[in-house]
Amino acid sequence: MRQILEAIQSGASGEEIGALPLPESYRGALVRRDEVGMFEGLDSSEKDPRKSLHVEDVPLPELAPDEAYVAVMASSINFNTVWTSIFEPLPTFGFLDRLGKESVWGARHALPYHVVGSDGAGVVLKVGSSVRNWKPGDKVVLHCNYVDDQDPSSHDDSMLAANQRIWGFETNFGGLADLTVVKANQLMPKPAHLTWEEAAVNALCNSTSYRMLVSHNGAGMKQGDSVLIWGASGGLGGYACQYVLNGGGTPVGVVSSPEKAALLNELGVEAVIDRKAAGYRFWSDEHTQDEGEWRRLGKDIRGLIGEDPQIVFEHPGRQTMGASVFVCARGGTIVTCAATSGFMIEYDNRHLWMKLKSIKSSHFANYREAWDANKLLAHGKIQPVLSAVHRLDDVGEAAYQVHHNLHEGKIGVLCLAPEEGLGIDDPEFRAKVGEDKITLFRRHGA
Ligand code: NAP
């Protein structure tokens, strides 16, 4: 891998990079099949990714004709790596075993270890025989929609494909590693004005927020819409705020500290609610929700923007869904992609049907959506929300930070990149976009 890194850093040509020998093994962050029971009997919050995530050398898998090897310069922590590392709601080895039964190439994935990670920025090292649009030396970012394009169900919206998977979560050989194996249709051009770590943190959360708000597959946001955004300074929320601002809407950001509120103000979000300071108790006990508290949130939103939100950007799940359905405007949409605080959801259906509201489900993004979201980054219209950077050896601590909500935006992970700040190919465009805008979250996280 050292030779590969030196070639990348010295600006070697695509031919030179393509001629380099591939390593027999590479460093990856993984969980082990024989450890899936290690946290039995513990509460979620006690399950510690620092104990279950290991950084080890693993053998290089063979390359399928529609795949590419990519040298990963940087990656990021997503919540799915937290789920994998605490073996909740299920150990991910079941996903790998199912993929293993699908085809000869799928069988490579069913291993005693799972290399995790669903984001990455790096350089193509080699492409399979059927890859047309990419070649060694291309600087790329990786999106995580892993689709079998021989399946007819993948040919309308590929997120509807019967065997759609998330790379590095439902497949092996993920991005938290020095090298990864991806399908060619996961590759997108790296925005030239960003560093490796700035480029690496976006694809999963940025594309998800794009589909939820901007794509015709999502909530159908239009100019003038007000949007309540839970976790507005988090991974998904940091991009959601930017999409609402760019789209001529009014974001109402919910956060849990004055520091996060200040960060949102600097991003341009004027209406911010600190949920901790407000002390909402949507659940009075484990089984009972308090409509009075939903009403109090609704009043607070009206106090800030003078109306109910047409769209609610949902992902906390059980703790907030009752309130989200209640505060959403008549005829509005609650768009949801997750349930961090619990997936068995309760809301009062009368507030949904009597006021003609809709709940719209969303999950990651198809290639076209991921590509369009990446284009906005490349054009400087959406900024990365990188707030902290860890080394691959420290991946357990990075996942721990996300597990315990100790971060803002996204945590980047340096894989092959020896230090922060490398990989900028277009400094003039970076200056035009503005260093302050690009590094807003990083300055707050520092
Ligand atoms: P994140 O960076 O941890 O941000 C989530 C934010 O939600 C936190 O910063 C926190 O903000 C807020 N939050 C957490 N628990 C809450 C609660 N009980 N009530 C209200 N707010 C709460 O995570 P993320 O990357 O944005 O991901 C969020 C969720 O979406 C995760 O479950 C993840 O797995 C899922 N996800 C799904 C997809 C998909 O394609 N389906 C894609 C990406 C992520 P404050 O404390 O500041 O309020």
Side-chain angles (χ1 to χ4, degrees):
M1 291 307 306
R2 178 134 303 281
Q3 211 182 344
I4 290 172
L5 175 61
E6 280 168 10
I8 293 169
Q9 287 196 288
S10 66
S13 68
E15 288 81 51
E16 287 165 331
I17 287 178
L20 291 172
L22 289 160
E24 282 175 14
S25 64
Y26 66 98
R27 210 170 47 126
L30 55 87
V31 291
R32 293 196 190 115
R33 194 184 281 265
D34 61 7
E35 288 187 348
V36 297
M38 71 191 293
F39 298 134
E40 245 163 48
L42 298 180
D43 283 346
S44 276
S45 63
E46 295 170 315
K47 298 179 181 175
D48 191 339
R50 294 172 298 191
K51 294 188 176 142
S52 54
L53 279 172
H54 309 279
V55 177
E56 289 176 12
D57 272 5
V58 294
L60 184 72
E62 212 182 322
L63 193 68
D66 61 347
E67 291 178 342
Y69 288 131
V70 176
V72 184
M73 298 301 280
S75 180
S76 91
I77 303 293
N78 283 292
F79 223 95
N80 65 6
T81 289
V82 175
W83 297 127
T84 305
S85 67
I86 62 172
F87 308 107
E88 281 195 20
L90 296 165
T92 43
F93 289 98
F95 301 140
L96 305 186
D97 292 343
R98 226 163 296 141
L99 173 55
K101 288 188 191 121
E102 230 176 63
S103 67
V104 174
W105 293 111
R108 292 170 301 166
H109 294 253
L111 292 167
Y113 57 85
H114 183 184
V115 179
V116 295
S118 301
D119 263 324
V123 178
V124 174
L125 295 176
K126 183 178 176 179
V127 296
S129 55
S130 71
V131 175
R132 289 183 294 114
N133 297 332
W134 305 93
K135 56 183 188 327
D138 287 347
K139 295 180 178 175
V140 291
V141 290
L142 311 171
H143 79 76
C144 63
N145 186 13
Y146 184 93
V147 176
D148 175 359
D149 62 10
Q150 292 178 34
D151 193 310
S153 64
S154 72
H155 282 269
D156 184 358
D157 171 8
S158 63
M159 287 308 298
L160 297 182
N163 52 6
Q164 186 278 332
R165 293 183 165 89
I166 298 294
W167 159 70
F169 178 60
E170 293 163 295
T171 79
N172 217 321
F173 321 128
L176 283 162
D178 288 341
L179 195 149
T180 187
V181 185
V182 292
K183 285 186 183 273
N185 62 17
Q186 289 177 250
L187 299 171
M188 308 191 291
K190 172 188 169 288
H193 66 295
L194 299 180
T195 65
W196 291 114
E197 61 280 3
E198 287 165 353
V201 298
N202 309 295
L204 192 149
C205 281
N206 182 36
S207 312
T208 303
S209 296
Y210 178 92
R211 180 175 172 112
M212 288 172 78
L213 291 172
V214 182
S215 161
H216 63 86
N217 288 313
M221 181 184 71
K222 58 185 194 321
Q223 290 191 24
D225 278 351
S226 47
V227 183
L228 179 73
I229 302 168
W230 291 104
S233 70
L236 290 173
Y239 297 103
C241 289
Q242 297 184 62
Y243 281 119
V244 178
L245 290 167
N246 286 3
T250 305
V252 182
V254 185
V255 291
S256 61
S257 72
E259 293 75 27
K260 288 179 174 182
L263 169 59
L264 284 195
N265 289 153
E266 213 179 314
L267 186 65
V269 181
E270 288 171 15
V272 181
I273 294 176
D274 180 340
R275 68 182 170 100
K276 274 232 172 90
Y280 303 117
R281 290 200 53 195
F282 301 135
W283 289 82
S284 38
D285 62 46
E286 212 182 305
H287 307 288
T288 325
Q289 294 198 61
D290 182 345
E291 184 168 326
E293 287 292 274
W294 299 346
R295 209 170 281 283
R296 187 156 75 86
L297 171 66
K299 235 177 119 188
D300 289 348
I301 297 167
R302 285 184 187 179
L304 284 168
I305 59 165
E307 63 178 19
D308 298 328
Q310 280 84 38
I311 298 172
V312 180
F313 186 89
E314 241 298 331
H315 50 88
R318 183 169 172 83
Q319 286 294 327
T320 53
M321 192 65 166
S324 293
V325 169
F326 180 82
V327 300
C328 185
R330 182 181 279 267
T333 303
I334 302 100
V335 61
T336 176
C337 74
T340 315
S341 66
F343 47 79
M344 294 304 281
I345 301 294
E346 271 180 41
Y347 60 87
D348 185 335
N349 205 27
R350 293 169 298 179
H351 293 302
L352 190 81
W353 96 70
M354 292 292 287
K355 296 200 172 146
L356 300 107
K357 306 178 189 183
S358 313
I359 297 175
K360 176 87 191 166
S361 60
S362 194
H363 185 41
F364 187 59
N366 61 38
Y367 194 10
R368 177 62 193 266
E369 289 162 340
W371 188 276
D372 287 350
N374 186 55
K375 194 174 76 180
L376 288 164
L377 273 158
H379 289 183
K381 293 186 173 153
I382 290 287
Q383 310 308 331
V385 300
L386 174 77
S387 67
V389 178
H390 288 245
R391 296 194 172 278
L392 184 61
D393 287 331
D394 201 25
V395 67
E397 175 61 32
Y400 178 89
Q401 297 270 324
V402 174
H403 184 23
H404 291 276
N405 195 16
L406 301 173
H407 68 300
E408 290 162 347
K410 298 281 312 171
I411 295 187
V413 176
L414 298 177
C415 298
L416 274 177
E419 58 188 300
E420 266 190 86
L422 305 174
I424 299 170
D425 286 329
D426 191 344
E428 289 79 27
F429 186 61
R430 186 176 177 92
K432 196 170 163 201
V433 176
E435 189 71 26
D436 278 6
K437 274 166 79 179
I438 297 168
T439 58
L440 172 63
F441 278 67
R442 186 71 185 104
R443 283 183 284 112
H444 271 260

